[in-house]
Amino acid sequence: MKAIRFYDYGGPEVLKYEDVPDPTPGPGQVLIRTHAIGVNPFETYIRAGNYGPVPLPNILGVDAAGIVEAVGDGVTDFAPGQRVYVIGAPGTYAELVLSDQAKTFPLPESLTFAQGAALGVPYGTAHRALFHRGKAQAGETVLIHGASGGVGTAAVQFARAAGLTVFGTAGTDKGLTLVREQGAHQAFNHKDPDYLEKIKAAAEGNGVELILEMLANVNLPKDLDLLAKYGRVVVVGNRGSVEINPRGAMGKDIDIRGMTLMNATTDDLRRMHAEIGEGLKNGTLTPIVGQEIPLAQAARAHEEIMQDGAHGKIVLVP
């Protein structure tokens, strides 16, 4: 099979498109021929060596959608020919991928493979951030930074369906339009020098109860000022260190909560994707794909995903 591997840490240029032996499913595993592969920001951090050591050479990726080729012993939920998507299957930047049965889910016929590849990390992260770590409740106001990206659009859809008042930020007119289309009550351009004051005014001076933070090294000090008393900020993304004044949290009993999808248990994933599946059926959830890039051009995808102006999910196509 063809796959993307890297042999040393560095920039996007270290990603190599090459032949790799086909994998064989073991007990409890599903072999999938990928039709679309999700690209996530943290994969660029792994490639650059900023996410801890990984075995080298390495095939990146955890998200994909495709068709089952074969199954290992003990697999009862899936059969060859079935459309599926995966979350947490290592090495998805490839034409074939192995996934544990527990991390494989049916892909509805109403979705494209590209949309299926946009489900795993973005929707799992958004769900965990909102409901597991953020404890979002109907009637609250949530501010979603970077609401035009893959995780952001998923979070807007989840929050609107759950009865929250949804504020979202983006950096382009196109992004702001997308955020509103996904259900945000109000959208704010984070490049506007007055956008923080506009958010405060929209919250009628009361602050917001919950913030999903995609770039904590830039926004966290500002978040403490935007939050209501007893508010929570969930740190979903970060690209460096940041200095805050803890008094900003003390005076309002604010919680700063970290999260990573990789801490979700198998039971967490099962419950999460049962809810995602229902949302796909009833139309409250619709994955947004911004770009489809050939697998051989994975380096370009890594460059694109780190640019400003996110617009849905970037996927690779074998």
Side-chain angles (χ1 to χ4, degrees):
M1 68 175 182
K2 290 290 188 180
I4 297 290
R5 289 202 293 191
F6 68 100
Y7 292 78
D8 202 359
Y9 303 113
E13 70 278 357
V14 303
L15 299 177
K16 308 297 182 185
Y17 183 62
E18 58 188 20
D19 290 315
V20 176
D22 291 355
T24 302
Q29 290 185 318
V30 181
L31 178 66
I32 299 155
R33 182 163 296 278
T34 60
H35 285 237
I37 300 151
V39 179
N40 299 290
F42 74 86
E43 290 152 10
T44 71
Y45 309 151
I46 294 173
R47 183 214 69 229
N50 298 327
Y51 215 76
V54 296
L56 297 175
N58 188 276
I59 301 176
L60 290 168
V62 294
D63 282 338
I67 295 178
V68 176
E69 286 254 317
V71 299
D73 291 342
V75 173
T76 57
D77 294 341
F78 300 98
Q82 189 170 354
R83 288 162 45 95
V84 295
Y85 72 95
V86 303
I87 169 59
T92 57
Y93 284 28
E95 292 177 327
L96 293 167
V97 63
L98 288 175
S99 176
D100 290 341
Q101 179 175 225
K103 296 181 178 181
T104 307
F105 303 91
L107 178 65
E109 292 289 341
S110 59
L111 266 62
T112 67
F113 288 112
Q115 288 178 306
L119 284 172
V121 167
Y123 279 80
T125 298
H127 188 280
R128 186 171 176 82
L130 274 170
F131 304 116
H132 184 90
R133 299 294 293 143
K135 307 299 182 186
Q137 299 292 321
E140 291 187 320
T141 298
V142 59
L143 169 63
I144 300 165
H145 283 294
S148 64
V151 175
T153 52
V156 170
Q157 293 170 11
F158 272 128
R160 184 60 189 261
L164 283 84
T165 297
V166 184
F167 296 168
T169 71
T172 66
D173 289 341
K174 182 180 178 181
L176 292 168
T177 298
L178 177 64
V179 171
R180 295 187 190 99
E181 289 174 346
Q182 301 317 301
H185 294 86
Q186 296 199 50
F188 305 88
N189 191 328
H190 63 246
K191 294 180 180 178
D192 181 344
D194 299 323
Y195 89 99
L196 296 175
E197 295 305 317
K198 291 178 179 178
I199 293 173
K200 291 179 183 178
E204 300 178 347
N206 299 317
V208 301
E209 284 84 8
L210 176 61
I211 295 177
L212 299 194
E213 182 50 72
M214 310 297 178
L215 196 60
N217 56 297
V218 171
N219 295 318
L220 189 56
K222 308 168 192 174
D223 292 339
L224 302 184
D225 187 41
L226 290 173
L227 280 166
K229 193 174 184 179
Y230 311 124
R232 299 91 67 199
V233 55
V234 179
V235 178
V236 178
N238 182 64
R239 297 183 188 176
S241 59
V242 62
E243 181 177 317
I244 65 169
N245 185 340
R247 290 194 179 278
M250 294 163 60
K252 294 187 283 187
D253 281 12
I254 284 170
D255 287 348
I256 301 172
R257 303 176 180 178
M259 72 136 288
T260 175
L261 182 59
M262 301 312 162
N263 284 335
T265 66
T266 299
D267 282 343
D268 289 338
L269 292 174
R270 177 179 51 79
R271 289 190 292 267
M272 180 187 304
H273 286 274
E275 188 167 337
I276 290 170
E278 188 57 34
L280 295 172
K281 290 177 185 176
N282 65 31
T284 57
L285 302 180
T286 304
I288 304 299
V289 177
Q291 291 190 69
E292 297 184 34
I293 296 173
L295 176 61
Q297 298 177 27
R300 178 162 71 87
H302 274 216
E303 293 172 352
E304 293 284 346
I305 201 169
M306 301 305 287
Q307 302 300 315
D308 290 336
H311 190 88
K313 178 79 168 180
I314 294 176
V315 301
L316 299 171
V317 180

